[in-house]
Amino acid sequence: MAQVTIIGAGNIAGAVAGIAAKAGAQVQVLARELAKAEAVAGPLGGQAGALGEQLAGDVVVLALPYAAVPEVLDRYAGALEGKVLVDVSNPVDFETFDGLVVAAGSSATAEIQARVPDVKVVKAFNTNLGATLHTGAVGTVPVTVLAAGDDHDAKDAVLSLVRAAGLRGIDAGSLKRATELEAIGFLQITLAAAEKVGWTGGFAVID
Amino acid sequence: MAQVTIIGAGNIAGAVAGIAAKAGAQVQVLARELAKAEAVAGPLGGQAGALGEQLAGDVVVLALPYAAVPEVLDRYAGALEGKVLVDVSNPVDFETFDGLVVAAGSSATAEIQARVPDVKVVKAFNTNLGATLHTGAVGTVPVTVLAAGDDHDAKDAVLSLVRAAGLRGIDAGSLKRATELEAIGFLQITLAAAEKVGWTGGFAVID
């Protein structure tokens, strides 16, 4: 049985924890640990050794705002080696709301993979608005999770989990396709924020 | 009543011609003229003056492969001034099938707008697979046409046409958002080519 660790406390963290549980995985959520570490020790980096060993999952989901990712990666770097790391982020520039904070043509996922080269990074869930992951539907259409990454087995682990939870999962290609997935995630957020689609709607994938 | 000129002879050209006709517009399709000009005169550029005057539409739809666009723009440059120019292209690099031929962070639409600054360029229809525009549905979900551009009235003209034809239309934002629309178009083509979605499916937009 898969073991899944979720790092994060937000909407997507909760949704992905629910999906992993529904898939029959053992689920660890490190939201509280993170908060405690921040409160007690200030910058997360200070806790690297001890807390890094707490990662129970073979699959670790970084369900955090992208701005929080580098610090968490530094903290858990050693403990992540060999694991599957799932990046759900949409690195929107929230100051301008007119682009991403990563370089054009790159992606948050590519930046993460460059930072932790010995980790199998998979992009997933970023094209799904939180509410749709909770209900399993975009409007009345079943949710599809798109995943991209360079390690086939890692991507397969994530898609298997998604499918075991009763959702549809599609392999969207190599890690380079994270650029397109983040474009979709970004546009979807701008459309929802502008009330052109609802937060329970957005992009659905049809067979 | 709107007058719409379609330049092109492919699947999308036919679909958009059908939409414009359904919307009650007068529709001119310049597929044959283009073919004739190519056959008789070689490079299209040679026919600039005379053929340029044939554009009847206030809205001109460039329903061409992106590689054919620069030549057609040069040919019609003067005749396009002040008009609404609709770019439907997905500038996929068909040699690698692993990216776009436009610069990262840019878009075909931005390149077109830079080439014809006095023309009101609107990105639209590129996120719709041809078959879905013909039937009006992605699977069983009604088609939504996403449009992006910097001229509000121009974008409105395109969206009004779409809606008058009974389709849904959403303003996806400024011309910068063409980058995201082309990312969606590209990913959708790769998914369909890999048989992960059907050519009658793909991305649908849900309220």
Side-chain angles (χ1 to χ4, degrees):
Chain A
M1 184 196 288
Q3 299 211 15
V4 178
T5 297
I6 318 276
I7 305 180
N11 196 12
I12 298 290
V16 176
I19 288 167
K22 206 167 172 183
Q26 290 185 350
V27 182
Q28 175 191 35
V29 180
L30 286 186
R32 204 175 301 163
E33 293 297 332
L34 276 177
K36 205 173 81 181
E38 278 181 301
V40 176
L44 297 172
Q47 299 289 322
L51 288 174
E53 290 160 4
Q54 297 182 347
L55 293 181
D58 318 303
V59 175
V60 177
V61 182
L62 275 182
L64 297 162
Y66 185 60
V69 165
E71 206 170 359
V72 171
L73 283 183
D74 287 348
R75 180 183 174 192
Y76 286 107
L80 284 169
E81 209 167 305
K83 291 185 190 283
V84 176
L85 184 67
V86 183
D87 164 37
V88 312
S89 70
N90 281 305
V92 178
D93 184 336
F94 287 108
E95 283 188 26
T96 66
F97 219 67
D98 196 31
L100 303 182
V101 296
V102 295
S106 185
S107 65
T109 318
E111 291 196 352
I112 290 171
Q113 183 66 82
R115 208 172 180 110
V116 288
D118 297 329
V119 179
K120 302 161 192 165
V121 181
V122 176
K123 185 88 197 181
F125 300 107
N126 79 297
T127 61
N128 307 107
L129 292 172
T132 70
L133 285 179
H134 278 292
T135 61
V138 187
T140 58
V141 178
V143 158
T144 295
V145 175
L146 299 170
D150 284 341
D151 187 290
H152 186 270
D153 292 343
K155 203 161 41 178
D156 210 45
V158 175
L159 290 170
S160 296
L161 208 66
V162 161
R163 290 169 188 147
L167 303 181
R168 295 178 57 227
I170 291 182
D171 178 351
S174 72
L175 190 138
K176 283 187 77 180
R177 293 291 80 74
T179 303
E180 284 73 38
L181 295 181
E182 292 178 13
I184 294 175
F186 168 45
L187 187 67
Q188 183 168 246
I189 290 169
T190 68
L191 293 177
E195 300 184 352
K196 287 168 183 172
V197 301
W199 291 98
T200 57
F203 291 112
V205 183
I206 312 285
D207 277 341
Chain B
M1 189 197 287
Q3 299 211 15
V4 178
T5 297
I6 318 277
I7 304 180
N11 197 12
I12 298 290
V16 176
I19 288 167
K22 207 167 171 182
Q26 291 186 350
V27 182
Q28 175 191 33
V29 180
L30 286 185
R32 202 175 303 163
E33 293 297 332
L34 278 177
K36 204 173 79 182
E38 278 181 299
V40 175
L44 298 171
Q47 299 289 323
L51 287 174
E53 290 162 2
Q54 296 180 348
L55 293 181
D58 317 303
V59 175
V60 177
V61 182
L62 275 182
L64 297 163
Y66 185 58
V69 165
E71 205 170 358
V72 171
L73 283 183
D74 287 348
R75 178 182 174 194
Y76 286 107
L80 284 169
E81 209 166 305
K83 291 186 189 285
V84 176
L85 183 67
V86 183
D87 164 37
V88 310
S89 69
N90 282 305
V92 177
D93 184 335
F94 287 108
E95 283 187 26
T96 65
F97 218 67
D98 196 30
L100 303 181
V101 295
V102 296
S106 184
S107 65
T109 319
E111 291 196 351
I112 290 171
Q113 182 67 82
R115 208 171 178 108
V116 287
D118 297 329
V119 178
K120 301 162 193 163
V121 181
V122 175
K123 185 89 197 180
F125 300 108
N126 79 297
T127 60
N128 307 107
L129 292 172
T132 70
L133 285 179
H134 278 292
T135 62
V138 187
T140 58
V141 178
V143 157
T144 296
V145 175
L146 298 170
D150 285 341
D151 187 292
H152 186 270
D153 291 343
K155 201 161 42 178
D156 210 46
V158 176
L159 289 170
S160 296
L161 207 65
V162 161
R163 290 169 188 148
L167 303 181
R168 295 177 58 226
I170 291 182
D171 178 351
S174 72
L175 190 138
K176 283 186 77 179
R177 291 293 79 74
T179 302
E180 284 74 37
L181 295 182
E182 292 178 14
I184 295 175
F186 168 46
L187 186 68
Q188 183 168 246
I189 289 169
T190 68
L191 293 176
E195 301 185 352
K196 287 168 183 171
V197 301
W199 290 99
T200 56
F203 292 112
V205 184
I206 311 285
D207 276 341

